[in-house]
C-alpha cells in the first residue's frame, strides 16, 4: 500500500475530472450532491435517538482514532447502518433514507463530518454518530454554530 498526502489526491482528481473543484469550507457556500434515490424514508427523531443508536449504530462502532477512524468514518458507518436497516425492512422497497453525510464547520473553526437528516415531521437534524446526540439543524445554521459546506446525499 502507498500513503500520499490528501492534497495530492484532490489535485489529481481536479485534473482528471473536467469542470470540477474541491469544496471550500471557507467560501460560505455549500455543495449539495444530487439524490441517488427516487424516494426517501424519513425516520422519526425518537427512533434515531433511541432504537437506532442503542441497537444498531452504537454496537457497530469502534474506538476513535485520529486520521484512521474519526468523524468522517463514523458518518460513513452510520450511513451504512441506516442502509442495512432499510435492506432488512421488506416493506420499504426502492427507497433510501433522507439522511446524508454532512461536512461542516462548527463555530467557524472545527472542520467536522456528521449526518444531516429529515425526520418524519419535516424537521432537519444534525446527528452525531460518535455519541448519538441530535441538534436541530435550522437554529444551528441560522446562528452560525454549524456551517455546512458539503452534503453527500
Amino acid at each position: 500500500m502507498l500513503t500520499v498526502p490528501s492534497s495530492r489526491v484532490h489535485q489529481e482528481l481536479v485534473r482528471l475530472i473536467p469542470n470540477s473543484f474541491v469544496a471550500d469550507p471557507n467560501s460560505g457556500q455549500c455543495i449539495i450532491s444530487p439524490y441517488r434515490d427516487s424516494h426517501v424514508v424519513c425516520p422519526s427523531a425518537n427512533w434515531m435517538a433511541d432504537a437506532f443508536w442503542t441497537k444498531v449504530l452504537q454496537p457497530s462502532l469502534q474506538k476513535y482514532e485520529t486520521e484512521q477512524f474519526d468523524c468522517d468514518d463514523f458518518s460513513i458507518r452510520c450511513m451504512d447502518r441506516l442502509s442495512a436497516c432499510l435492506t432488512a425492512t421488506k416493506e420499504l422497497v426502492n427507497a433510501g433514507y433522507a439522511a446524508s453525510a454532512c461536512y461542516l464547520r462548527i463555530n467557524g473553526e472545527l472542520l467536522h463530518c456528521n449526518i444531516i437528516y429529515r425526520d418524519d415531521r419535516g424537521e432537519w437534524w444534525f446527528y452525531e454518530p460518535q455519541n448519538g446526540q441530535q441538534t436541530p439543524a435550522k437554529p444551528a445554521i441560522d446562528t452560525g454554530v454549524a456551517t455546512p459546506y458539503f452534503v453527500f446525499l
Side-chain angles (χ1 to χ4, degrees):
M1 279 195 213
L2 172 67
T3 302
V4 298
S6 58
S7 59
R8 177 176 164 188
V9 172
H10 278 125
Q11 292 166 357
E12 289 176 6
L13 279 171
V14 168
R15 284 194 305 268
L16 176 68
I17 303 168
N19 301 316
S20 66
F21 60 94
V22 177
D24 179 359
N26 300 312
S27 71
Q29 297 177 322
C30 180
I31 298 170
I32 300 174
S33 71
Y35 254 112
R36 301 173 316 276
D37 303 305
S38 60
H39 293 84
V40 292
V41 175
C42 301
S44 74
N46 287 339
W47 181 80
M48 290 290 288
D50 188 21
F52 178 69
W53 170 249
T54 58
K55 295 178 182 168
V56 179
L57 185 58
Q58 189 178 30
S60 76
L61 296 178
Q62 60 195 72
K63 188 177 143 233
Y64 179 96
E65 290 187 48
T66 303
E67 300 292 332
Q68 289 188 337
F69 198 85
D70 52 11
C71 62
D72 56 328
D73 302 292
F74 278 93
S75 295
I76 291 166
R77 177 71 53 88
C78 181
M79 293 305 300
D80 171 69
R81 298 293 77 211
L82 283 168
S83 180
C85 289
L86 271 181
T87 303
T89 307
K90 301 299 182 214
E91 296 82 31
L92 301 174
V93 179
N94 298 324
Y97 265 111
S100 304
C102 179
Y103 290 82
L104 64 157
R105 282 191 167 285
I106 304 292
N107 294 318
E109 297 294 322
L110 176 69
L111 295 178
H112 190 54
C113 183
N114 65 17
I115 301 298
I116 189 168
Y117 79 94
R118 182 192 188 278
D119 73 13
D120 57 350
R121 296 175 302 125
E123 301 292 325
W124 285 90
W125 297 84
F126 287 116
Y127 183 83
E128 179 52 69
Q130 295 181 52
N131 59 22
Q133 180 182 357
Q134 300 188 93
T135 303
K138 183 161 178 37
I141 292 168
D142 288 348
T143 60
V145 169
T147 307
Y149 63 92
F150 181 72
V151 178
F152 179 72
L153 300 175

